[in-house]
Amino acid sequence: MAGRRAVAASDSEAEAPQDAEIGQAATVRWTAAVVIACYLAGALALTWRLWADPASRTVAGNPTDADLFAWYLRYAADSVAHGHLPALVTTAMNAPVGVNLMWNTSVLLPGVLLTPVTLLFGPQVSLSVLATLGFAGSAGALYYVLRRWNVSAGAAALGGAVYGFSPALLHSALGHFNLQFAVLPPLIVDAGLAIAAGRPPAPGRTYRLHLRTKPESADGPLPEPGSGRGGPLARVPPVLWDGLKLGLLMAAQLFVSEELALLTAITAVVLVAGLAVFRPAAAARRAGPAAGGLLVAAIITLGITGHALLTQFSGRLVQHGALFPPDYYVNDPSNFVTPDSYQLLHTAGTATTAAKYQGGATEYLAYLGWPLIIALVLAAVVCWRRPAGRACAFALVVLGVFSFGGHPLIGGTLSPTVNLPWHWIEQHQLLASVLPDRFSIVADGVAAALLAFGVDGARVWLADRRWHTPLVLPAAALCCLPLLPSPVVAGVVTPLPVGWSQTFTALHLRPGAPVLVVPVPTNILTVTMRWRAETGQPDSIVGGYFIGPGWGGQAYIGGNGVSPVAWYLDQLWASGLPGRSPFAAAALGAGLPVAIRGGGPAPTGKPPPIAQVRAALAGWHPAAIVAVTAASSPLAAYLVKLLGPPAVQSGIVLAWRR
């Protein structure tokens, strides 16, 4: 009996830690679920104006980019619906030349994944889904990474919110959906650090215990991978598993945004450099395993994206050179402390000052506010003895300097005689198209991580001195209040013209047949792309908003530019619009004349010679010409004179077969 009692007692003692571990794991899962739910609620509150009427409400302030991304999502969805992935070079836009989608912000992966939403509810609903997931998913990704590195739940939740709802992502939501969906960068950096510096301590060790261990020497050991538990993955060397994960994540990011993938890779390199600078001996010991993991990652990434990258750099429509002038889209130091009208806490004065930024609202990404900047400095001081704190502080400074571009822009005035580090880096062709101000996106993630480390570090520092610690997290949260965003402002999608779908049904065009639609789409007049996105018709359009090679292969928006014939047709179209037409806003946004009470002013400039018009039509070789205009308009009269009576007329849409 005594032996049985002893065995029972030993069994109960063994089961007690297991029960405690199971209970702790359940608590962690419930906490994560609550935090993610809060992020999602915050994202819905931020985008509620879009969700009030998701099929017809779009982000205001940048309609051309919103129309472009709607076109991308429809193109990807149509491809999947026909049983194949989207072609990387397509004549669905800019027929008959086409566009190379790898040189454009084509969000191929989100477009494929959102195919059911796009086909069932339309591309605008998919864009609203993408924006909402961009806020909540980005915050959740950093929260997950910080918890993996044993940051406390409260500090990790704050860090995730700072990143996911940062001004950089808020302003990217104004039509730059490829940048605003910043879910993968924290996961990529986490996988890269796991390869370069070893995995974080086992989950059983809290960040507090990890932080309070005795200070390590400069060449002390880096955290080694956890032993893991049973199963087939446990037999895979951790560094190879991390390489596989990094390769998959980087491949996915390349099909979301190549620019953000490059910015993320630079961030990971800078963080690893920060670790190596302060712990060179430990970094040298990790060099061998890290090289193996990076080799695995490179093989996986190239295996998945190799064909796409070959298409981009050695296929059709290859381009080179910077798309935008250097030192234009760069951060001004004043941007870091001047809130604009998109932040909830701003004044008329700060909004006016911010509105003068030369890059516009979509690129006003730097704002952090004085309270958070001071909190970050204190966090760096508190965490300086820890490798993570030093690396984050180092990376934040480096990324901030990179965001100033090659030459400083101070108070709106450029100083071309002062060279900054990015001046020499941007000379490389691969980096020529990176806009320096967009370093703010990844820098905000590093700042959020540093803040989270600082919260836990301050708690430990105060606890060691027997001081009260519960106010640390609320104090840090108060420092983040200036970052509170205003809900995204929504505008109305340009409505579909009456008779659009009926016209294309009546034309009976062959699949893939190119169509010249007037208004001819350009980078400043994109309503035709929106109509194509909403209906999937026509399959191929002349013109468009795209990045393509111009003369000599130099990258330009619109490639060789808008032809005089297309520009004249667009002017004729606008001249027939009454001022209260639902299409007038698009025409005015493109700088085209619009009548106040119908009739419209005459187009500026002389009409192109008929020979030039016929040569342009022969070059475009459209299967049909479709004009969205009234039968009595100047455009209709011009086309009837040129082509004869229309073959199809439905609503305000006229069409000629060719």
Side-chain angles (χ1 to χ4, degrees), residues 179-192:
L179 301 175
Q180 190 262 345
F181 189 79
V183 176
L184 298 180
L187 305 178
I188 292 172
V189 172
D190 173 55

Side-chain angles (χ1 to χ4, degrees), residues 38 63 89 94 188 238 243 360 373 425 485 512 533:
C38 290
V89 178
N94 192 38
I188 292 172
I373 292 174
I425 298 175

Side-chain angles (χ1 to χ4, degrees), residues 500-528:
W500 176 272
S501 297
Q502 294 86 338
T503 296
F504 286 103
T505 300
L507 284 172
H508 299 294
L509 299 173
R510 71 181 187 278
V515 177
L516 173 64
V517 179
V518 186
V520 184
T522 67
N523 64 303
I524 57 175
L525 183 60
T526 55
V527 289
T528 295

Side-chain angles (χ1 to χ4, degrees), residues 571-641:
Q571 287 187 308
L572 275 177
W573 172 75
S575 69
L577 295 177
R580 295 183 180 180
S581 165
F583 314 131
L588 290 171
L592 297 170
V594 177
I596 301 301
R597 292 186 180 178
T604 59
K606 295 181 180 180
I610 294 297
Q612 185 178 8
V613 175
R614 297 193 183 280
L617 291 176
W620 290 325
H621 195 60
I625 297 173
V626 175
V628 179
T629 190
S632 59
S633 70
L635 174 61
Y638 179 82
L639 291 176
V640 167
K641 181 179 179 180

Side-chain angles (χ1 to χ4, degrees), residues 382-395:
V382 169
C383 297
W384 190 253
R385 297 177 66 185
R386 302 304 306 165
R390 289 196 299 264
C392 285
F394 173 80

